[in-house]
Amino acid sequence: HGAVALDVTISDVDKELSANILAQLRIYQQRENPRLSVGEMRRLHRKADADIKSALEPLGYYSPRIESALVNTDGVWHASYLITPGEPVRVRSVAVGVTGPGSGLSLFADLEHQFPLQKGAVLKHEQYEDGKKEILNWARRNGFIEAQFTKKEIRVHRENRQADIELLLDTGHRFLFGKTHSDQKVINNGLLCRYLPYKEGEPYSQRELTRLQSILYDTGFFSGVTVEPEFDKLGEQRVPVALSLVPALRNRYSFGLGYGTDTGVRGKMEWKNRLFNESGHKVQSSLQLSQKLSKFDAAYQIPVADPRYDALKYAGSWATEEWEDTKTDLRSVAAALSHAGPKYQYGVTFEVRDEN
């Protein structure tokens, strides 16, 4: 009982259908099995039609015609399958209903139009499953953590090659934001809470957690930010949020040497302190020394109001410049209040200058 020499071919189908068929056609999967007997091969051949049909249905083809043959030529068995997929089943209607506490919200008003299978589309089961997952993910990202389908049906009408899809989503209760906590010691908790784009008790939203991560990175205080909703600690329909924060390097120094026709030989040194204290203050200064122009600048920045966008800044500078027989000395101090929001940017500055 040596190994059966078996060759398996399928024809008249495109690459997508062919790949799906070969992945499910058992006689093809076993063709190189050293234990394959002639009896087992014949059994798998008899089941090939069912394998092919089950591979085609998820791609929308419910009425294929299959011509199969199994012949022995010079000691080699040839299993061949000529497949005519026929016309695919197309979607006739899509209905997505919503029940439960979230049923009246605009969040769920457009689910049918966003479903990946629309009227006239070929009924592909993968797109149907993806559409269901996306609806559930959408509900859960917006606080309906226990949402589930109470009805999910595809009714296929083989005679006219049409299908009706009906889904019914029960939203369940909407969960709210619980406490946001962290064991970080980088900034004080009062300042940290002012960076939150949501308040405790507001509807839970995954988008707000993504925003929070971006906001905390933008502060420059942290080199690593992890924002985790604690679904395993749900209480009274509230979702606690855990922050894991890795402090960034506080000080940054830079040095430079160069030459410019307007300055001559010059050297420059800069210092930036991203976090001067737990209240989120920042300091930066720079010193440039050259043959014709030397200057020193320093600034102290304090987050105010909404620390994401609002800052109070104190600055001072000194400069001395020489051109031929003219020497200029300039000293200035300034205070500025600025807002750099996503829609508007504005500020007011008061400056005192002394120039000779």
Side-chain angles (χ1 to χ4, degrees), residues 109-123:
D110 207 29
L111 294 182
E112 288 177 8
H113 294 102
Q114 293 175 3
F115 200 75
L117 287 173
Q118 293 292 304
K119 183 177 179 180
V122 174
L123 178 64

Side-chain angles (χ1 to χ4, degrees), residues 58-88:
L59 298 173
Y61 295 90
Y62 280 73
S63 306
R65 192 169 72 250
I66 304 166
E67 297 176 31
S68 57
L70 181 64
V71 295
N72 188 318
T73 306
D74 297 329
V76 178
W77 290 93
H78 299 274
S80 61
Y81 305 95
L82 178 63
I83 303 161
T84 306
E87 285 297 312

Side-chain angles (χ1 to χ4, degrees), residues 37 77 98 150 160 171 183 187 191 263 269 272 294 296 306:
S37 65
W77 290 93
V98 181
T150 53
N160 56 12
T171 65
D183 56 3
I187 58 177
L191 178 60
T263 61
M269 179 173 65
K272 287 186 179 180
S294 296
F296 173 76
D306 186 336

Side-chain angles (χ1 to χ4, degrees), residues 129-147:
E129 294 297 333
D130 287 345
K132 286 195 306 177
K133 284 179 189 172
E134 188 52 43
I135 289 174
L136 283 179
N137 288 340
W138 174 251
R140 290 165 182 169
R141 286 198 301 267
N142 286 283
F144 296 94
I145 294 164
E146 295 175 344

Side-chain angles (χ1 to χ4, degrees), residues 119-293:
K119 183 177 179 180
V122 174
L123 178 64
K124 294 191 176 182
H125 290 210
E126 186 176 3
Q127 291 182 336
Y128 168 74
E129 294 297 333
D130 287 345
K132 286 195 306 177
K133 284 179 189 172
E134 188 52 43
I135 289 174
L136 283 179
N137 288 340
W138 174 251
R140 290 165 182 169
R141 286 198 301 267
N142 286 283
F144 296 94
I145 294 164
E146 295 175 344
Q148 59 183 346
F149 287 109
T150 53
K151 188 174 189 179
K152 40 188 177 179
E153 288 183 358
I154 303 178
R155 292 190 295 277
V156 177
H157 310 283
R158 292 173 186 264
E159 65 281 358
N160 56 12
R161 297 187 178 87
Q162 291 183 325
D164 298 313
I165 295 172
E166 187 175 358
L167 300 171
L168 189 60
L169 177 74
D170 179 10
T171 65
H173 290 288
R174 192 173 199 178
F175 282 71
L176 310 175
F177 277 114
K179 289 190 180 299
T180 300
H181 61 93
S182 172
D183 56 3
Q184 62 87 31
K185 298 287 189 279
V186 181
I187 58 177
N188 63 56
N189 284 328
L191 178 60
L192 180 62
C193 289
R194 284 161 57 199
Y195 281 110
L196 303 183
Y198 56 83
K199 292 183 175 65
E200 186 178 345
E202 288 183 346
Y204 172 83
S205 166
Q206 182 64 44
R207 178 186 294 179
E208 294 302 295
L209 296 186
T210 304
R211 277 186 66 202
L212 174 59
Q213 185 174 40
S214 177
I215 287 167
L216 292 177
Y217 266 122
D218 288 344
T219 63
F221 302 153
F222 310 103
S223 63
V225 178
T226 305
V227 181
E228 288 288 345
E230 296 183 304
F231 294 123
D232 56 335
K233 297 180 181 177
L234 299 176
E236 298 179 356
Q237 295 173 6
R238 299 214 170 192
V239 184
V241 178
L243 303 181
S244 179
L245 305 171
V246 179
L249 290 174
R250 295 195 175 205
N251 295 297
R252 179 181 174 185
Y253 303 93
S254 62
F255 305 91
L257 287 171
Y259 175 83
T261 55
D262 57 340
T263 61
V265 177
R266 66 173 181 261
K268 190 172 185 180
M269 179 173 65
E270 288 186 330
W271 168 55
K272 287 186 179 180
N273 183 289
R274 294 172 177 167
L275 185 62
F276 190 68
N277 55 31
E278 287 188 351
S279 297
H281 297 187
K282 298 181 179 182
V283 180
Q284 66 180 67
S285 64
S286 69
L287 173 65
Q288 176 180 300
L289 299 174
S290 69
Q291 291 172 301
K292 298 177 181 177
L293 172 65

Side-chain angles (χ1 to χ4, degrees), residues 17-83:
L17 299 183
S18 175
N20 221 44
I21 290 168
L22 293 178
Q24 296 199 44
L25 188 60
R26 283 171 284 184
I27 193 171
Y28 178 80
Q29 301 294 332
Q30 295 294 321
R31 71 192 186 285
E32 295 178 356
N33 187 343
R35 298 180 182 177
L36 182 66
S37 65
V38 172
E40 177 65 8
M41 177 192 64
R42 291 186 185 277
R43 187 184 74 83
L44 294 175
H45 177 66
R46 288 193 297 272
K47 293 183 176 295
D49 279 21
D51 290 346
I52 293 169
K53 286 177 180 176
S54 69
L56 289 175
E57 283 188 5
L59 298 173
Y61 295 90
Y62 280 73
S63 306
R65 192 169 72 250
I66 304 166
E67 297 176 31
S68 57
L70 181 64
V71 295
N72 188 318
T73 306
D74 297 329
V76 178
W77 290 93
H78 299 274
S80 61
Y81 305 95
L82 178 63
I83 303 161

